[in-house]
Amino acid sequence: MRYDLSAVPEPIAYKLLAATVIPRPIAWVVTQDAEGRLNAAPFSFFNVMGSAPPTVALGILADPARGLKDTAQAILDTGEFVVNLVPERLVQAMNLTSIDAPRGVNELELAGLATLPSDSVAPPRIAESPVAFECRLHTSVETGPNQVVVIGQVTTVHIEDRFLLDPVRAHVDTDALDLVARSFGAGYIRSHDTFQLARPTWANRSR
């Protein structure tokens, strides 16, 4: 089957992309708007984009009726946000923060989530999240009338001590983080079923 994405409705394009590009890590984003109001929301169009400088990217879809979501508007207005990662024990709280609440609602309070102050940005981080990235806006690209890609430069990384195997060498016990990722529809994926595969080198192949 061939789909011409210039000729199909947007929901079809969304389904094709979201059902095939899996798993997608979840960015549980905390922002603070220009008036000091906090917001938290999860996004699965998210990934790491590089390490020099360290950057992450968020794809944020706008509401056709309401326009840009609180998260996107706060990032564009203030240039700051925090990405928290989601362990399985927090999926219910994360899911609650995805609610279509009216503008100005503090989803952190709604979900009963405690926060800790950030070091380099104004928005706080979620206290129970094992990993948090403090970010400053690097670039934003409006890719359509209802979507924007935000690239953030990571200024500070917080990792709960118990998940560090060797703090000096930055060896992380990734499996123990128990992170979840998005699948399609209402689906989620656990991160436990992994395997190792050594990357080939041309020198070894040529022997």
XYZ file of all heavy atoms in Angstrom, residues 28 31-32 40 50 54 61 66 74-75 85 93 130-131 134 141 164 168 180 185 190 196:
167
model
N 8.137 14.422 29.657
C 7.136 14.964 30.588
C 7.616 16.376 30.910
O 8.489 16.586 31.734
C 7.118 14.094 31.834
C 5.865 14.165 32.647
C 4.733 14.871 32.392
C 5.645 13.456 33.875
N 3.810 14.659 33.378
C 4.335 13.796 34.293
C 6.401 12.587 34.640
C 3.798 13.276 35.467
C 5.863 12.076 35.805
C 4.574 12.416 36.209
N 6.779 23.580 32.373
C 7.081 24.952 31.970
C 6.518 25.916 32.998
O 5.666 25.561 33.820
C 6.474 25.282 30.589
O 5.063 25.001 30.612
C 7.138 24.486 29.484
N 7.006 27.137 32.919
C 6.484 28.231 33.740
C 6.294 29.418 32.815
O 7.249 29.878 32.191
C 7.455 28.562 34.861
C 6.958 29.658 35.801
C 7.853 29.816 37.019
O 8.178 28.852 37.701
N 8.266 31.046 37.281
N 2.357 21.192 33.239
C 3.051 19.931 32.974
C 2.244 19.135 31.964
O 1.014 19.060 32.056
C 3.217 19.123 34.258
N 21.539 15.458 19.733
C 22.991 15.605 19.645
C 23.591 15.846 21.013
O 22.872 16.015 22.002
N 24.601 19.522 23.713
C 23.550 18.555 24.031
C 22.173 19.148 23.729
O 21.816 20.196 24.280
C 23.744 18.288 25.522
C 24.481 19.486 26.035
C 25.307 19.992 24.913
N 2.044 19.470 18.776
C 0.901 19.720 17.914
C -0.050 20.681 18.606
O -0.367 20.509 19.784
C 0.174 18.405 17.587
C 1.039 17.279 17.000
C 0.172 16.069 16.683
C 1.785 17.751 15.775
N -7.867 25.977 19.787
C -7.259 26.821 20.814
C -5.878 27.340 20.439
O -5.337 28.209 21.109
C -7.167 26.043 22.125
C -8.509 25.622 22.699
C -8.371 24.617 23.819
N -7.521 25.080 24.897
C -7.152 24.326 25.935
N -7.557 23.064 25.994
N -6.398 24.804 26.889
N 4.600 28.724 26.449
C 5.506 29.086 27.547
C 6.958 28.957 27.123
O 7.796 29.795 27.476
C 5.224 28.222 28.773
N 7.283 27.909 26.359
C 8.662 27.743 25.892
C 9.049 28.883 24.965
O 10.135 29.468 25.082
C 8.834 26.386 25.186
C 8.699 25.236 26.190
C 10.199 26.316 24.496
C 8.678 23.863 25.558
N 11.741 12.341 32.616
C 11.459 11.034 32.037
C 10.495 10.267 32.940
O 10.385 10.549 34.140
C 12.752 10.265 31.807
C 13.758 10.974 30.881
C 14.951 10.065 30.592
C 13.106 11.438 29.583
N 0.030 9.242 36.984
C 0.167 10.683 37.174
C 0.499 11.366 35.856
O -0.043 12.435 35.535
C 1.253 10.974 38.212
N 13.111 9.999 37.850
C 14.506 9.633 38.091
C 15.501 10.417 37.251
O 16.688 10.467 37.581
C 14.551 8.147 37.717
C 13.459 7.990 36.701
C 12.369 8.936 37.145
N 15.031 11.033 36.154
C 15.904 11.792 35.261
C 15.195 13.067 34.829
O 14.017 13.034 34.460
C 16.286 10.986 34.003
C 17.224 11.807 33.111
C 16.931 9.662 34.371
N 17.219 19.999 32.381
C 16.905 21.428 32.329
C 17.321 21.951 30.955
O 18.443 21.697 30.501
C 17.654 22.183 33.424
C 17.258 21.759 34.830
C 17.999 22.549 35.895
O 18.518 23.650 35.584
O 18.057 22.080 37.049
N 10.996 25.789 15.177
C 10.641 25.775 13.764
C 9.147 25.504 13.644
O 8.665 24.470 14.122
C 11.430 24.696 12.989
C 11.051 24.716 11.509
C 12.925 24.881 13.169
N 22.928 5.487 39.389
C 24.267 5.688 38.839
C 25.189 4.562 39.296
O 25.411 4.367 40.495
C 24.820 7.035 39.287
C 24.193 8.253 38.615
C 24.595 9.524 39.345
C 24.591 8.338 37.147
N 31.382 9.143 38.224
C 32.481 9.844 37.557
C 32.480 9.560 36.060
O 32.688 10.453 35.235
C 33.827 9.446 38.194
C 34.982 10.054 37.413
C 33.868 9.896 39.646
N 9.132 4.052 30.570
C 8.142 3.597 29.602
C 8.208 4.496 28.368
O 8.721 5.614 28.412
C 6.714 3.605 30.188
C 6.596 2.606 31.318
C 6.324 5.010 30.649
N -2.026 4.741 19.773
C -3.329 4.819 20.445
C -3.112 5.018 21.928
O -2.424 5.946 22.351
N 7.080 -1.103 27.758
C 8.083 -1.163 28.817
C 9.464 -1.323 28.195
O 9.606 -1.838 27.090
C 7.783 -2.323 29.762
C 6.458 -2.188 30.518
C 6.248 -3.369 31.455
N 5.080 -3.187 32.282
C 3.863 -3.654 31.969
N 3.681 -4.327 30.844
N 2.842 -3.453 32.786
N 21.737 -6.943 23.167
C 22.972 -6.254 22.815
C 23.380 -6.612 21.387
O 23.231 -7.757 20.955
C 24.104 -6.655 23.772
C 23.826 -6.333 25.236
C 23.805 -4.846 25.501
O 24.643 -4.107 25.015
N 22.830 -4.406 26.288
